[in-house]
Amino acid sequence: MVQASENPQVRPVLPRTPHVTYRMADPKTALAEPGTLAVFGFGAGAPDSDDPRWLRVALECFDAPAPLELWQVDGDVSCGRHDAVRWSTGGGWLFAAIELNERDFGGTEATARHAYAELRRFMGTREQSVLRIWNYISDINRGDGDAECYKQFCDGRAAGLGDFFAEGFPAATAIGHHNGEHLLQVYLLANGDPGTAIENPRQVSAWRYPRQYGRTSPGFARAMLMPARDALAISGTAAVVGHASAHEGDLEAQLNETLTNLEALLATADMPAGFDTHSPLKAYVRRPVDAPRVREILQQRLPGVPVLLIHGDVCRSELLVEIDGWRFA
Ligand code: 3EB
């Protein structure tokens, strides 16, 4: 019998992963380009726009002026709003975003629960699976033990989701910000076809983290191979080995461990080793004073790779740096 995959006439056409780039541009111009699925600005200085495809991320960029991040697909894009959710779709892809003020919901747990319940409700109207999700959380390390905002976020996320990711978690990022508006921002990328979740053999899967990291284990995959296998979406990756944080207090050692973890993900996903000029990454740096050193090390270790240096808090207070991004085949 001829396998569907060997017969070009019946092989389903899997959509090319959105092109992800950083570019100095103004949002209007970027949004007017054909195929623009989403545009992100960074920090309070970024302009605003009513376009549902535009998101001003609550994290500051260490580069001034900061570039925009663009997601571009093959084909026409349409967009709209569904209650609190902004969305756009084109080329087989779906972008959706929700932004809630924690003050309106009485804390991180309730806000995360509401955001995820709304996203779940919206996704119920679409036949798409979530492949990648980003979470930007106000004062992520505020509070002690199970009351820490990140742990509250994990509780609320799981409660809002219910069994929505029962078939497998998407790749994810969860980073803290200090924007005075106390916003929880969640946005996602989905496709009609599933991806392939990738775990890191050097790390315990997040959903199996032991109790010490909170009541509710964080639900995310370490990376997601896109349906057409043309790109790997890499989750927030830090100096976690097994389930433990490594190299407490040592920025350079944490960065090295993070790069080793990134290489392990590429190898596991059968992607070429290393990153190139088409592999947009973000480095989230907790302490502004560390930014120049992180930039220097990454320029040396990842020459030519577009890395956006972002001021952001990793969800464990001892971790000083985290990297996420894309590896295109
Ligand atoms: C870690 O390895 C770092 O809660 O969605 C990274 C990526 C982390 C996603 C999430 C958390 C999340 O555990 C933290």
Side-chain angles (χ1 to χ4, degrees), residues 116 132-133 135 137 150 153-154 157 171-175 203 206 209 218-222 235-240 243 314-316 319 322:
Y116 271 86
R132 180 68 169 94
I133 195 155
N135 305 278
I137 302 156
Y150 174 62
F153 165 80
C154 287
R157 169 171 57 180
T173 294
I175 286 288
Q203 298 181 313
Y209 279 173
F220 66 96
R222 297 293 179 184
S235 293
T237 303
V240 172
H243 58 71
V314 188
C315 59
R316 297 184 188 183
L319 294 174
E322 181 170 297

